[in-house]
Amino acid sequence: MTLYSYCLRYDDGAAPNPYWGVCTLVICKPAIRRVVQESDWIVGLGSVHSPVGDISSSVVYAMKVTKVLSLQQYDQLCKKELPEKVPDWSSEDFRRRVGDCIYDYSVPEKPKLRLSVHDEGNRKTDLGGKNAVLSTQFYYFGANPIPL
């Protein structure tokens, strides 16, 4: 088991995406997503410039990795079992707008970017992570982080 931690500069609901009973890390943090394995832990720490103040010594979320999928496999899973993770900008539900299944692999060689929190400028970082990280064992504190 390995513990990965990082400063969560922005907690906008997309990375991590703690909604619908599964916490996912699919965009951003490519270095972690490339190497993380099942049973590893990822901890997101707050930042000095958080909208709720300096939470740099606090935990925003922690997830035990229960599944690692390729981004293409994640797209297929979302289409079948987790459709809420596919962003829907027309939804009134904030959680639907920040879905992290932002690449459509209908054509695997050239994944298409869905309308989402990221744009083409994020493609290299997003796809460079290679994997989608999922957890059904997680703690998400959001705007009420827990001090270390």
Side-chain angles (χ1 to χ4, degrees):
M1 178 185 71
T2 302
L3 171 65
Y4 298 91
S5 66
Y6 68 96
C7 176
L8 189 63
R9 293 186 311 173
Y10 306 103
D11 182 23
D12 62 4
N17 184 294
Y19 308 115
W20 319 111
V22 181
C23 185
T24 51
L25 186 60
V26 181
I27 56 177
C28 301
K29 300 301 165 208
I32 292 174
R33 292 188 294 116
R34 273 192 300 271
V35 298
V36 72
Q37 298 178 23
E38 290 181 14
S39 297
D40 288 347
W41 280 86
I42 302 173
V43 175
L45 305 172
S47 74
V48 172
H49 303 291
S50 166
V52 295
D54 179 356
I55 57 170
S56 57
S57 61
S58 298
V59 175
V60 176
Y61 84 100
M63 65 188 284
K64 180 178 183 180
V65 178
T66 55
K67 189 175 279 194
V68 179
L69 299 173
S70 72
L71 296 175
Q72 184 175 357
Q73 290 171 322
Y74 183 65
D75 181 49
Q76 292 167 353
L77 176 74
C78 289
K79 288 175 181 175
K80 293 178 184 172
E81 298 178 34
L82 294 171
E84 299 89 355
K85 296 277 188 175
V86 176
D88 178 1
W89 281 91
S90 65
S91 176
E92 292 183 17
D93 187 334
F94 166 79
R95 300 170 299 170
R96 292 296 318 272
R97 292 193 302 272
V98 296
D100 62 2
C101 187
I102 66 173
Y103 291 95
D104 180 352
Y105 279 83
S106 296
V107 179
E109 302 78 33
K110 180 123 172 92
K112 181 181 176 187
L113 178 63
R114 295 179 170 110
L115 183 60
S116 65
V117 296
H118 278 184
D119 60 27
E120 286 294 334
N122 303 103
R123 180 181 284 271
K124 184 177 178 182
T125 300
D126 291 340
L127 300 182
K130 306 283 185 202
N131 297 312
V133 181
L134 294 79
S135 177
T136 54
Q137 292 182 266
F138 66 94
Y139 306 90
Y140 178 74
F141 306 109
N144 298 304
I146 304 298
L148 287 173

